[in-house]
Structures are given as C-alpha cells and as structure tokens.
Amino acid sequence: MSRFDMVIVGGQIVLPTGAVVRGDIGIRDGKIAAVTDALDAQAGDQVVDARGRVVAPAAVDAHFHLGIYRPIDEDTRTETSSALVGGVSTVLSYFRTGKDYLNKSGPYRKIFPEVLQRVDGHAYTDYGFHMAIMTNEQLDEVPWLVSQGIGSFKYYMFYKALTLNAASTDAKSYTMADTYDLGHLYRLMMNIAEENRKNSGRISLSIHCENAELIRVFIEAVRSRGGNDLAAYSEARPPLAESLAIAEATVLAEATGCPMNVLHLSSFRAVNDVVQWRSLHREADARTETTLHHLALTTDTTPGGTGGKVNPPIRNAREVDQLWAAVFRGEIDQVVSDHAAIPAVKDDDLWEAHAGFGGTALLYPVMLSEGYHKRHLPLGKVVDLISRNPAVTTGLYPRKGAIAIGADADLALLDLEREQTVSAELLRSAQPFTPFEGKTLKGWPTTTIVRGHVQYDKGQVVGTPIGTFLRRPIVAEAD
Ligand SMILES: [Zn+2]
C-alpha cells in the first residue's frame, strides 16, 4: 500500500470539470498524489477528516497589495494570515516604485531584490508579484524582470493628470516617474508583447482603467455641491471614466498585441466594452476581472462613511445585479479582493480618505454566500472564478487552481452551511475596520492547506510562514 504524508478523507471534492463528487485525496511532498473514491485513512501519516465539508482548490487571490501602507514584512505576515481565512493559498501582489510601498524610485535591479528579501520568511501563503513599470529606465528592465519570474506588469491609466486625493494634483511627486502617459503605455505594451512571444506561458499587462481628465471634471462638480458619501464618490468616478480608459487601452493592445488583464471592472458598461472588443478581435487576449466588493457592496447599503471608498468606486444595487448577470453569462473571468490593508480608520472627509481596503478573508465566503447560496451559481463556477481562472491568467495553472495529480496540494475545506457575521477581528487583518462589518455570510472555509501544510484550521492560524515566491509563468515540468 502506498504511503502518503497526508490523506484527506470523507469530503466532497470539486473536480476540474466542475463536478462535485465524494472522494479522498492523498498528498506526498506537498503535491496531490492521489484522488480516489476510497483511500484508507491508515495510508496517511496525517489524516484530515473532511466529512460534511467540500474540498475545493484553494483560492488564488490575483489582486493584492502587500506593503502598500504598512511595512512590507509586517504587512506580509498579517495580510497573508488574513488570506488563509478566505481559503486563499496564493496571493499575487502589485508593486510599484513612487509614493507608498518603499516610498522611493529607482531601477528594479536594485529594488526588486530588496522586495523579495523583505517579504521572505513572512508569508503564510505562496506569492508572486505584478510589477508596475513607472520610469523610462524600468521600461528597459522588462526582459530582466521576466527572467526573475515576473509574469505580469501593471499600468495605471488615471495617474497621468491627477492623484488619489483632490488636494494633491501633482502626479509626478506621486509616481516619481518621467513621462507617465499613453506614450509610456505604448512602449510598455510593445516590450511585454515581445516577451510574451519569446517565452512559453502567458506574460501580460494588468491595467487599472479610469480616465483621469474626466474624473477631474466630475470630482469638481460633485464636490462643489457638497457630496461626501459613497454615492457621491461613485458619481465622481463614473462608469464613463472606465469606458474611455478601456477604449484607449484596447486601441493600444490591438496595435501591440499585448495580452491584457482589465482589472476590477465596476460597471456593466465597462465589462461590456471589453466583451464587445474581444468579440471583434478574436486574436486579442484580454481577461476581465471584478472584485468581491463590487459584487457584494452597494452605495446605499454599505454602512459607515468613507470606509467603503475604493477605486473604481462601489456602485448602486442595479450595477451590482448587472455585474452578477455578466458573471452568469461567463463574461467575467476572475474575482479578486484587491486587498490593501489600511492601518487606521479612514478620514471622515471622503476626498482626503485613503482609497481601498482589505477583503481577502472574504473571497470564498462572499462567493459562496452571494453567488452559490443567494444566486445559485454552481460550486464549480465559484472555483473557476477565484481559483482556476486567476491561476491561468497569472501563469500558475495547473500547479495552482485545480485538484489534479501533480498539482500543489493547496486546498480549502468549506463548510457550506456555516453562517458568520463579519467583523474586523474575524478577518485577522491589521486593518481595524471592514466595510463588510455586520454582513452575515453563509459558507466559510474551516481549513486552508498550502502545499500539504495545514495553515489555518477552525478560526486559528496553525501553521508557520512557509510561503514561497512563485516564478511565473510556470512551464510544465517533465518529471
Ligand atoms: Zn489594486
């Protein structure tokens, strides 16, 4: 009888086909070594009893911001612990030079080793990075970054004219960049497209699509009539601003052949723009993303002032319903948290408050509660949206994102019937508040396993920071 380091017995397994079947899993050397309908519990050095639970691939949170507002080593420790609560085994974090993060600029040949060194030994999940190319010098570093395991990059459409706070309109002091505009984006896309052709596996550009000039005009209008709530914020950064930026980005993607991830789409209009464009350009590679907060929060029901401020903004209930309709039509490829831990309760002045918040701990809970239970989204679709597709998009599939022989043993054990009311403490993040406060969600991970290590169990972090840096794209290994 073959031996395993761990066996997980008695659960219902979500297979890559989406089927949910009764089955057992054998794990050896951190990888899935057996998936069968009857494994002897005696065959494992460690036995996990999964009766009454669903065993799903752990989530791949493909949009994360480690160290944006807090020291990156400390932030990695607390926020990857928070990820475990949401059934997440892998985070893909954005990094850029400029204000926040390490608060400096320079070549990535100097800065990226520092990032890796400061994160090393602090992560409870595996991790990788999407790098924002801010300066001319960094444009030339794209091939070097790819050689270091960076499989994706980032561009912010809205940095060129105005920044996050209305009081500060000096984009340059924020980005610490040279000429950060559409010309820069064109050159970046050319460089990424070339790397994508040269390498096997997908190399892509992630884009935050909001048009800065329109936002400036709408913010002025909304502020002048005293708007200071989340509905006002949505009006100040309307779907039209997303739409115009998507139009610009798609023209350049078509000209350069650059694979693209269109991030955190907040409106039906924005989703439809990308869907229409890719239906006209069959050769185009554009993946669509939305966030769990755009699917679960609305401007009228989110409590507590500025806590729910985020870019692009959360919208009204009608937009949320339309986003769900797009999910059901298969027009949204992935759902992420866009996790950015804010160290203190936000400023009461909407226009001065930090944008963003942490939510990674709610990835499975929101998708199970709002998707599976409330709207009857099949379990297999939930897994596709938060595990399989983000693993594909970021070049991690099939090592991550599937319960299959040879894949990393990254698993979330889900109690579909468990109901809990969200509070900041429950999420185990360093962020002292959550815009989901008081929301009761049904369906929670009870156990999160990373490469065969039980990292989180029954509300407690029980593992150690064993997370490793993932070089991407993963190319199928011959073994
Ligand atoms: Zn983000």
Side-chain angles (χ1 to χ4, degrees):
M1 184 175 67
S2 53
R3 297 284 310 165
F4 299 102
D5 301 329
M6 178 188 285
V7 291
I8 300 173
V9 294
Q12 300 282 324
I13 299 178
V14 187
L15 297 175
T17 57
V20 183
V21 299
R22 159 71 205 95
D24 304 331
I25 295 174
I27 297 167
R28 203 180 290 126
D29 298 328
K31 298 203 177 276
I32 295 174
V35 183
T36 143
D37 57 2
L39 214 54
D40 187 346
Q42 307 299 321
D45 295 341
Q46 197 182 346
V47 181
V48 174
D49 180 356
R51 278 177 300 175
R53 285 173 291 170
V54 165
V55 184
V60 174
D61 195 348
H63 192 147
F64 215 95
H65 296 273
L66 290 172
I68 181 168
Y69 299 128
R70 304 174 61 242
I72 194 165
D73 32 17
E74 210 180 301
D75 207 43
T76 299
R77 226 166 234 279
T78 57
E79 304 318 299
T80 58
S81 315
S82 183
L84 296 174
V85 179
V88 174
S89 69
T90 305
V91 307
L92 280 311
S93 187
Y94 286 93
F95 184 84
R96 65 165 165 70
T97 52
K99 192 174 176 299
D100 302 321
Y101 294 99
L102 299 183
N103 215 6
K104 62 181 176 187
S105 188
Y108 276 124
R109 275 190 172 79
K110 272 188 79 173
I111 291 178
F112 182 52
E114 183 183 343
V115 172
L116 283 181
Q117 188 253 319
R118 288 195 56 184
V119 168
D120 185 43
H122 295 286
Y124 286 87
T125 62
D126 283 345
Y127 55 92
F129 293 96
H130 316 273
M131 302 302 266
I133 298 298
M134 308 304 291
T135 65
N136 291 333
E137 184 183 39
Q138 292 168 3
L139 275 172
D140 296 332
E141 294 185 304
V142 167
W144 178 78
L145 283 165
V146 170
S147 77
Q148 301 302 300
I150 297 300
S152 47
F153 296 85
K154 178 153 188 190
Y155 184 79
Y156 304 80
M157 298 293 280
F158 74 102
Y159 277 177
K160 57 181 174 171
L162 121 166
T163 60
L164 306 178
N165 297 337
S168 138
T169 50
D170 179 7
K172 202 150 188 162
S173 70
Y174 195 86
T175 59
M176 302 182 195
D178 312 311
T179 312
Y180 195 76
D181 61 8
L182 293 177
H184 178 89
L185 174 59
Y186 176 78
R187 291 182 61 194
L188 176 56
M189 283 186 167
M190 288 291 281
N191 291 359
I192 293 170
E194 189 181 336
E195 288 306 304
N196 184 56
R197 282 189 293 270
K198 279 196 329 216
N199 290 273
S200 50
R202 184 173 190 259
I203 305 206
S204 60
L205 178 66
S206 294
I207 310 197
H208 180 140
C209 287
E210 287 187 284
N211 178 280
E213 289 95 337
L214 284 182
I215 293 172
R216 173 175 58 80
V217 167
F218 287 114
I219 286 182
E220 276 169 20
V222 173
R223 286 192 89 181
S224 69
R225 60 163 172 77
N228 195 46
D229 59 8
L230 294 180
Y233 199 64
S234 175
E235 276 181 63
R237 303 175 76 113
L240 180 65
E242 283 188 287
S243 191
L244 184 56
I246 289 167
E248 291 174 330
T250 50
V251 166
L252 295 183
E254 193 185 334
T256 58
C258 181
M260 191 164 61
N261 314 307
V262 194
L263 303 183
H264 45 44
L265 298 169
S266 73
S267 61
F268 169 71
R269 177 170 184 158
V271 174
N272 196 46
D273 286 340
V274 182
V275 168
Q276 294 297 329
W277 180 76
R278 65 185 181 190
S279 75
L280 288 171
H281 301 273
R282 295 285 172 192
E283 74 294 349
D285 177 358
R287 310 286 166 92
T288 50
E289 173 186 289
T290 193
T291 71
L292 58 100
H293 46 270
H294 288 110
L295 288 172
L297 299 179
T298 64
T299 46
D300 27 308
T301 57
T302 304
T306 57
K309 174 180 170 179
V310 64
N311 297 327
I314 58 172
R315 308 291 186 192
N316 61 28
R318 194 169 146 263
E319 285 286 5
V320 173
D321 286 343
Q322 289 188 328
L323 273 187
W324 275 108
V327 166
F328 275 87
R329 286 194 299 272
E331 293 172 354
I332 305 242
D333 296 316
Q334 66 188 35
V335 179
V336 298
S337 73
D338 195 0
H339 188 94
I342 307 281
V345 171
K346 290 186 192 180
D347 197 312
D348 283 341
D349 181 345
L350 177 76
W351 308 101
E352 291 304 321
H354 272 306
F357 44 77
T360 189
L362 298 173
L363 208 38
Y364 258 115
V366 160
M367 291 307 287
L368 291 175
S369 193
E370 298 288 310
Y372 173 75
H373 284 297
K374 195 164 155 188
R375 296 180 173 82
H376 309 295
L377 187 69
L379 218 41
K381 290 287 175 212
V382 170
V383 169
D384 284 351
L385 288 163
I386 64 176
S387 180
R388 180 195 173 102
N389 293 352
V392 169
T393 304
T394 58
L396 290 173
Y397 193 84
R399 180 171 164 192
K400 306 287 188 189
I403 294 181
I405 308 289
D408 281 359
D410 286 17
L411 303 163
L413 273 57
L414 311 172
D415 180 347
L416 297 181
E417 300 307 314
R418 185 180 180 82
E419 289 191 60
Q420 286 189 114
T421 301
V422 177
S423 65
E425 300 74 60
L426 191 65
L427 308 188
R428 307 193 75 91
S429 160
Q431 179 177 285
F433 70 93
T434 165
F436 292 86
E437 180 85 40
K439 229 176 166 20
T440 298
L441 300 177
K442 183 175 178 183
W444 287 78
T446 61
T447 308
T448 304
I449 297 172
V450 180
R451 283 181 282 105
H453 301 269
V454 176
Q455 292 291 76
Y456 171 82
D457 193 42
K458 300 183 190 75
Q460 299 301 318
V461 173
V462 294
T464 54
I466 50 131
T468 59
F469 171 63
L470 300 166
R471 298 176 64 94
R472 299 175 295 125
I474 305 253
V475 184
E477 313 154 24
D479 52 6

